[in-house]
Amino acid sequence: MGASAIGLGGKQVAIPSAPKENRGGQSVSLSPACPHQSSWSPARYHKSVRFRLWLLLCLPLVLRAEDHWVALKSGPFTAYSSAGERPARDQLMFLEQFRETLRVITGKPELKLVWPVHVFIYKNAKEIPGAVAAFALGGDARVVATTESGGFSRQNLKDLARVLLYENTNRLPQPVEDGLIKLLSTLQVDGTRITLGAPVPEAERSHGWALMHLVTVNPDYAGRTRVMISNLEQSGDFEAACHNAFEKTAAQINQQADDQMKAGNFTTTMVSGRALSPVRDFKPVQLDRDDVKNALADLVAKTATQTTVDPTSQSPHAWLAAGVRETDPVKARADFKKAADLNPLWAEPYFRLAELEKDNPEQRAAMLQKAASLDSRNIDYWQALAKTDMALNKYPEAQKAWAGAERAAATDQERERIHQVRLDTERERAEFEAAEIKRIAAEREADIQRVKSQSEAAIHAAEEEARKRMNPSGAPPPKPQAWYEAPKDAARVTGVLQRLDCQGPQARMVIQTADGKTVELSVADPSQIAVAGGDQALACGVQKPARQVLVLYTPKPDQKLHTAGVATSIEFH
């Protein structure tokens, strides 16, 4: 590692050069990401800023190398102290109770931080590097410096509140968000006792601050502030939020806030803090000689020019930058997945993965959904997701994504533009659904016709197969026999057919019954009478041999022909 020199009070002090990482023979500068940036890019960093941040953090290490540092950890916060454990425990208690207060106000189950926070506590202000941006993201942690007796400035607390709100809530109306940030800047913590509502300087007393002071401090509203925040997160409709939370109109709440600000009568309230023990709950971190140096140098190391990444690196930013530089999509995908694994709360790697899946819209949509859910204020993520869902004809999902984009819009003009896109998407959805109904109906009708055709073909094939089995020679089938149904008033006679007297087209049959009687019946047309059984042949004259018959006839005596009726059918036995 090389070194450079800087003048300090007339002296030259050697400053170690920032380490470099090389990959693929290219160089890249890695910039700190702001919580309000929509997309982090390693090419966005300026050399002058990089060197200044590196210098400011490394300088006290060189000047105060003999200091003894201790470290304690609680949740996302780690306090490094050169002034002993007591200040570290006090600062951790303040940070945790600050986070708890904002959690209670917003009604969230937990307030998470995408990046850990490193607090450096010095014995006096002279040791603190100048112009260090509080809670700015450098490398893979947010960094803030303070003294053992000074605590956090109001600006420090504003910066922390802004980060917590950005990373845990949807975009709120600007006056509400600004007012809440100012309100938290005067928070007072004494162990588990939290005091909220101390007035800000008169120059900062905006309507938004007075509004948030009213709804968080006034006991008539304090317990319902979380309902107002939740409603504003979903729709941004302040009128509906006031009605649902306080059963009052927005005008009534605004007027009460204005009246309170004019009166200048601002009280405070006590907030229930977390039941934390500075000794039991804040765990010491074992430090070796280089741990603090590495922690302070982390900002520099990750913002320096780098061209490779150490395979054992635990830096999400380093792996993301490696993926950005990589020209091979397979290797880039592996780098982005590594960055996501190292910090699952970071949205950027999922967005980068989505950009690699343009030929796989389903996977792209899944990655964009993950990115948007992790960074709900990033309008670019929501818009990309909505367009991908529309390309997949997933209009309900697209509508939800456009709603997310509308909530993430930073200005009224942008919000109105997104709202118009949502309306256009709804029309497209209606047209698509109407076309889908027609398409599905046509497909169903085609299926029905196909099934009918297949069934008819199967029936014809079965008939043909049956005909072949029943008549393998192919002979003409016999003529069908006419079905005869006897008249309801028909009489019958059973006996032996003695003879058939043919008289032109007519005939007369003589039947001898079993009791020896003779019954004569006329036959209007022998060719038309229904005949069944036997050889079914009727011959004129005496029947040889005489055959047993059953004759049905219509009783109609004819004195001239001496017949008892007209025969209608004859069945030979």
Side-chain angles (χ1 to χ4, degrees):
M1 181 180 293
S4 59
I6 184 70
L8 180 67
K11 299 180 180 180
Q12 296 290 319
V13 179
I15 305 297
S17 298
K20 297 183 178 180
E21 291 185 5
N22 297 293
R23 180 166 183 163
Q26 301 175 345
S27 65
V28 61
S29 60
L30 308 178
S31 65
C34 169
H36 303 284
Q37 290 176 339
S38 63
S39 180
W40 176 86
S41 172
R44 215 177 279 162
Y45 194 68
H46 300 291
K47 289 182 179 179
S48 60
V49 176
R50 182 175 68 244
F51 178 78
R52 183 184 64 194
L53 291 174
W54 168 73
L55 172 63
L56 291 174
L57 287 176
C58 285
L59 187 58
L61 291 176
V62 177
L63 298 179
R64 301 291 304 199
E66 73 279 5
D67 286 343
H68 173 69
W69 290 82
V70 296
L72 292 97
K73 180 177 176 59
S74 177
F77 304 111
T78 301
Y80 296 88
S81 173
S82 65
E85 287 191 9
R86 176 66 180 272
R89 296 186 187 280
D90 290 344
Q91 301 296 22
L92 286 178
M93 177 65 78
F94 188 97
L95 291 172
E96 286 290 16
Q97 300 298 12
F98 184 93
R99 185 168 64 137
E100 174 67 7
T101 301
L102 184 55
R103 187 199 69 78
V104 171
I105 292 173
T106 58
K108 301 292 182 181
E110 180 184 7
L111 293 186
K112 297 181 179 180
L113 283 165
V114 176
W115 301 101
V117 171
H118 292 171
V119 182
F120 293 91
I121 305 168
Y122 295 86
K123 293 178 181 178
N124 56 69
K126 293 180 181 180
E127 300 177 10
I128 299 178
V132 175
F135 298 103
L137 180 59
D140 298 308
R142 298 189 181 279
V143 180
V144 63
T146 184
T147 66
E148 61 176 322
S149 60
F152 299 107
S153 68
R154 287 190 59 239
Q155 187 59 48
N156 291 163
L157 301 183
K158 288 181 182 179
D159 293 336
L160 179 57
R162 188 172 290 108
V163 170
L164 285 168
L165 283 172
Y166 183 93
E167 295 180 352
N168 290 277
T169 66
N170 294 331
R171 192 179 298 277
L172 300 171
Q174 202 61 46
V176 171
E177 191 158 313
D178 290 344
L180 182 53
I181 290 171
K182 290 178 182 179
L183 178 73
L184 290 167
S185 71
T186 60
L187 192 74
Q188 300 168 13
V189 175
D190 182 12
T192 59
R193 295 185 296 275
I194 304 172
T195 303
L196 177 68
V200 297
E202 190 170 351
E204 296 185 33
R205 296 179 187 177
S206 63
H207 173 78
W209 170 79
L211 170 69
M212 293 310 299
H213 188 283
L214 171 69
V215 299
T216 56
V217 176
N218 189 315
D220 293 338
Y221 306 125
R224 302 287 295 171
T225 309
R226 66 184 186 280
V227 179
M228 183 190 80
I229 296 292
S230 177
N231 276 253
L232 292 175
E233 282 191 272
Q234 297 306 313
S235 67
D237 187 339
F238 188 64
E239 183 69 47
C242 289
H243 175 76
N244 292 336
F246 313 123
E247 297 184 351
K248 289 192 175 183
T249 65
Q252 289 174 317
I253 295 296
N254 282 326
Q255 185 61 53
Q256 193 170 351
D258 289 339
D259 292 344
Q260 180 174 286
M261 187 158 64
K262 289 178 182 178
N265 182 22
F266 302 107
T267 59
T268 61
T269 188
M270 301 299 294
V271 178
S272 298
R274 288 181 61 191
L276 294 172
S277 166
V279 176
R280 182 188 67 245
D281 296 312
F282 302 153
K283 305 300 182 182
V285 178
Q286 296 297 324
L287 297 176
D288 61 29
R289 184 173 182 179
D290 293 328
D291 281 341
V292 177
K293 179 180 177 181
N294 292 337
L296 284 168
D298 183 66
L299 177 61
V300 181
K302 299 304 182 293
T303 57
T305 301
Q306 303 174 25
T307 54
T308 63
V309 60
D310 184 342
T312 64
S313 174
Q314 296 299 301
S315 168
H317 278 108
W319 285 105
L320 184 79
V324 172
R325 291 191 303 270
E326 183 58 67
T327 57
D328 183 347
V330 174
K331 294 180 180 179
R333 186 177 288 106
D335 291 341
F336 294 145
K337 286 183 177 179
K338 181 67 173 179
D341 290 342
L342 289 171
N343 188 349
L345 299 178
W346 191 18
E348 181 74 11
Y350 295 101
F351 180 75
R352 297 286 186 176
L353 285 168
E355 291 295 280
L356 296 175
E357 301 293 349
K358 292 185 177 179
D359 294 332
N360 186 352
E362 291 283 355
Q363 184 65 15
R364 174 177 170 81
M367 293 295 101
L368 288 171
Q369 180 66 54
K370 182 67 174 180
S373 65
L374 289 173
D375 188 355
S376 63
R377 296 193 180 206
N378 192 314
I379 192 172
D380 294 336
Y381 294 171
W382 287 114
Q383 290 187 102
L385 175 60
K387 292 175 182 178
T388 302
D389 284 335
M390 289 179 66
L392 292 168
N393 292 326
K394 293 184 175 181
Y395 285 93
E397 289 82 354
Q399 277 292 317
K400 294 176 183 178
W402 283 123
E406 189 172 345
R407 289 192 299 269
T411 64
D412 291 340
Q413 293 79 5
E414 192 172 37
R415 192 173 298 108
E416 179 58 33
R417 178 183 67 82
I418 297 297
H419 184 69
Q420 186 58 48
V421 173
R422 285 186 67 187
L423 295 179
D424 294 341
T425 302
E426 189 60 33
R427 283 193 291 270
E428 289 184 31
R429 173 186 178 179
E431 294 171 358
F432 173 77
E433 289 179 347
E436 279 293 283
I437 290 173
K438 291 182 179 179
R439 180 185 65 79
I440 293 171
E443 289 181 354
R444 184 182 295 113
E445 181 63 27
D447 284 342
I448 292 173
Q449 292 300 324
R450 177 179 56 79
V451 172
K452 288 176 64 177
S453 298
Q454 290 176 347
S455 299
E456 290 174 357
I459 291 171
H460 293 326
E463 290 175 342
E464 184 63 26
E465 182 66 23
R467 275 194 293 269
K468 289 180 179 179
R469 288 198 304 268
M470 295 174 65
N471 186 14
S473 63
K479 293 182 179 179
Q481 296 294 320
W483 178 262
Y484 174 76
E485 184 175 353
K488 294 181 179 180
D489 58 349
R492 64 178 58 199
V493 58
T494 302
V496 177
L497 177 61
Q498 296 289 328
R499 68 178 186 272
L500 181 66
D501 299 331
C502 294
Q503 303 170 351
Q506 296 182 347
R508 181 178 61 186
M509 63 175 59
V510 179
I511 303 165
Q512 185 177 12
T513 63
D515 58 1
K517 294 181 179 179
T518 299
V519 177
E520 297 184 6
L521 298 172
S522 66
V523 180
D525 186 349
S527 65
Q528 298 299 319
I529 190 171
V531 181
D535 58 10
Q536 301 182 0
L538 286 175
C540 297
V542 177
Q543 302 297 303
K544 296 180 181 180
R547 291 174 289 180
Q548 286 284 336
V549 295
L550 167 63
V551 180
L552 299 182
Y553 65 95
T554 302
K556 191 176 181 181
D558 188 327
Q559 297 295 331
K560 183 178 180 181
L561 297 176
H562 303 289
T563 56
V566 179
T568 56
S569 70
I570 182 170
E571 181 180 342
F572 290 96
H573 289 222

